[in-house]
Amino acid sequence: MGIEVARAHGCVVVDKNGTEYLDFLSGIGVASIGHTHPAVINAIKEQAERYLHAMVYGEYVQEPQVRLAQRLAEVAPSPLSVTYFTNSGTEAIEGALKTARKYTGRSGFVSFFGSFHGDTFGSLSVGGNPLYREPFEPLLPDVTFLPFNVTTALDSIDETIAAVLIEPIQGEGGVRIPDDDFLPTLRRRCDDVGALLIFDEVITGFSRTGKMFAAEHWQITPDIMVLAKALGGGMPLGAFMSTPEIMATLSTDPPLAHVTTFGGHPVCCAAGLASLNFMLETNLPQRAQEKGQELLSQLRSLVGHGEFTNVRGRGLMIGMDFASPEATKHFVQHCFAAGLILGWTLHRDTVVRLAPPLIISTSEIDQAIAIMHDALH
Ligand SMILES: Cc1ncc(COP(=O)(O)O)c(C=O)c1O
């Protein structure tokens, strides 16, 4: 898009010429509480004046890390009460994969076609699009890919599998929402064969889908939950959470089985805590659900125009289907020229992804719909 960013606040990004763009992408799902939220900025300033990096993660007691981990333990599905902080989503995936291997003593991983989990070697190895994997092979061995949302395929998960990794709603795969029985069946299958279930909630977490975590839609508790993006309130922060028993595996044989210098940076954790507190104080999951309904119902009335064929979503994670890549591109470019930022997904060039800040107002939704309406006619 090439915007030269001068400022960003709330749902708006401003370029160096003063042109304002309505941001329906949130830096790919990061700015859930809006850009440069005052509570986050204050927390950053306060912590920056106290200390920045003081020691590698876990060696000293650094209060912002402890406070954020405590808050996460309160909001995550029980019994996921222990958090390991990283700098990014892909690092958190790496940590989760390593933990699962060491805890189970097994080597195999199962992932799903269309998934995206990051671009470091381990995460790429479990990424469900061969186009991005093949140039970098050989990758991790013992990874099996299954079709997303095909319940019968889950029977092939067996006792060799350390963990099954899944996005509860696929993001880059085209905003794919599984049928009601898919994830509960997967949970049961993992229990039956003793494989850990890892939910990648990097995009879906922190109110995006109308719940604090998408797992809540199916009343499922994964064994490990991976977080990033909106976690840091705009600062780089990732995490994986699990039970005390599973996480203890990283503390022994060898004692420092997984370390990071900058993971859980105090300034990022202070920002993350301010962001999470704002979400809780304003009941942001509920708000995302209501605004998502508003947006979705207006989008439904546009289906059938300009090769726009279908729309689906949970909360404010919404996918619009188009009949061709050309129509998709034309739509996104037209909207952009009119001041609305939207995006493709990485693996589906006929899906437009909408992920506005969850604080979006009705008038901003109306403004976006008017632009989309024009782009389709
Ligand atoms: C579902 C999912 N998992 C993991 C990642 C990787 O996160 P990061 O870019 O912070 O490494 C992404 C990034 O887009 C993602 O969408």
Side-chain angles (χ1 to χ4, degrees):
M1 288 178 250
I3 298 175
E4 281 194 49
V5 183
R7 291 185 309 282
H9 50 84
C11 303
V12 173
V13 173
V14 186
D15 76 8
K16 66 167 190 178
N17 302 317
T19 307
E20 293 198 353
Y21 295 86
L22 189 53
D23 186 1
F24 262 49
L25 209 47
S26 307
I28 319 278
V30 170
S32 288
I33 63 165
H35 291 282
T36 49
H37 192 283
V40 170
I41 301 305
N42 285 339
I44 290 171
K45 284 183 181 162
E46 276 174 25
Q47 182 54 40
E49 282 173 4
R50 291 175 68 208
Y51 55 90
L52 302 176
H53 173 82
M55 187 43 161
V56 298
Y57 178 44
E59 193 69 30
Y60 293 174
V61 177
Q62 301 185 79
E63 194 203 0
Q65 299 168 339
V66 179
R67 289 177 64 205
L68 179 55
Q70 277 171 340
R71 206 75 163 122
L72 286 169
E74 286 162 16
V75 297
S78 175
L80 308 184
S81 60
V82 182
T83 301
Y84 188 106
F85 288 116
T86 64
N87 302 285
S88 64
T90 196
E91 283 173 74
I93 294 283
E94 301 286 340
L97 296 176
K98 281 178 67 182
T99 305
R101 268 208 174 163
K102 190 161 178 294
Y103 179 75
T104 60
R106 303 175 181 180
S107 65
F109 292 112
V110 166
S111 182
F112 292 86
F113 291 113
S115 64
F116 181 73
H117 301 291
D119 268 334
T120 50
F121 266 104
S123 305
L124 188 61
S125 303
V126 290
N129 188 341
L131 191 71
Y132 293 91
R133 286 199 314 270
E134 279 164 7
F136 303 98
E137 288 175 346
L139 298 171
L140 274 185
D142 301 342
V143 180
T144 307
F145 292 94
L146 299 179
F148 186 78
N149 199 22
V150 178
T151 304
T152 49
L154 302 177
D155 291 341
S156 66
I157 300 167
D158 63 21
E159 281 80 3
T160 64
I161 301 302
V164 178
L165 175 63
I166 191 163
E167 297 162 79
I169 298 174
Q170 282 194 342
E172 301 298 342
V175 189
R176 296 175 71 195
I177 305 168
D179 296 336
D180 288 347
D181 63 337
F182 181 65
L183 293 172
T185 308
L186 175 60
R187 174 68 277 184
R188 282 195 299 277
R189 185 69 194 166
C190 287
D191 288 341
D192 288 348
V193 300
L196 298 188
L197 178 58
I198 305 175
F199 269 15
D200 178 344
E201 294 245 16
V202 166
I203 286 190
T204 52
F206 297 106
S207 321
R208 170 62 51 198
T209 70
K211 300 276 185 196
M212 186 54 83
F213 301 105
E216 296 167 31
H217 288 293
W218 294 273
Q219 285 111 41
I220 286 177
T221 304
D223 299 296
I224 303 179
M225 185 161 74
V226 180
L227 307 168
K229 289 197 184 274
L231 167 63
M235 296 293 278
L237 187 62
F240 57 104
M241 297 186 71
S242 190
T243 64
E245 183 197 339
I246 293 173
M247 290 301 248
T249 195
L250 293 180
S251 310
T252 54
D253 308 323
L256 299 175
H258 194 69
V259 296
T260 167
T261 298
F262 283 126
H265 191 286
V267 175
C268 302
C269 285
L273 181 63
S275 167
L276 183 53
N277 283 341
F278 173 81
M279 287 181 184
L280 294 166
E281 283 156 15
T282 57
N283 197 357
L284 203 61
Q286 172 80 19
R287 185 172 169 145
Q289 197 187 321
E290 286 164 11
K291 293 293 165 195
Q293 288 298 334
E294 241 176 87
L295 181 54
L296 210 50
S297 73
Q298 295 217 55
L299 286 168
R300 285 201 181 105
S301 69
L302 297 178
V303 169
H305 299 276
E307 295 191 48
F308 170 33
T309 57
N310 197 13
V311 66
R312 69 193 150 276
R314 277 283 167 98
L316 281 165
M317 181 167 175
I318 293 176
M320 301 170 68
D321 288 327
F322 283 78
S324 67
E326 294 71 36
T328 318
K329 195 170 170 187
H330 173 266
F331 176 72
V332 172
Q333 285 175 345
H334 193 114
C335 289
F336 183 62
L340 176 64
I341 299 169
L342 312 164
W344 285 274
T345 61
L346 207 53
H347 302 331
R348 288 287 173 105
D349 56 9
T350 55
V351 177
V352 170
R353 177 218 319 254
L354 307 185
L358 310 178
I359 52 152
I360 188 115
S361 65
T362 297
S363 70
E364 284 166 325
I365 290 179
D366 292 345
Q367 198 185 329
I369 290 289
I371 293 173
M372 289 192 250
H373 178 274
D374 284 353
L376 292 169
H377 289 83

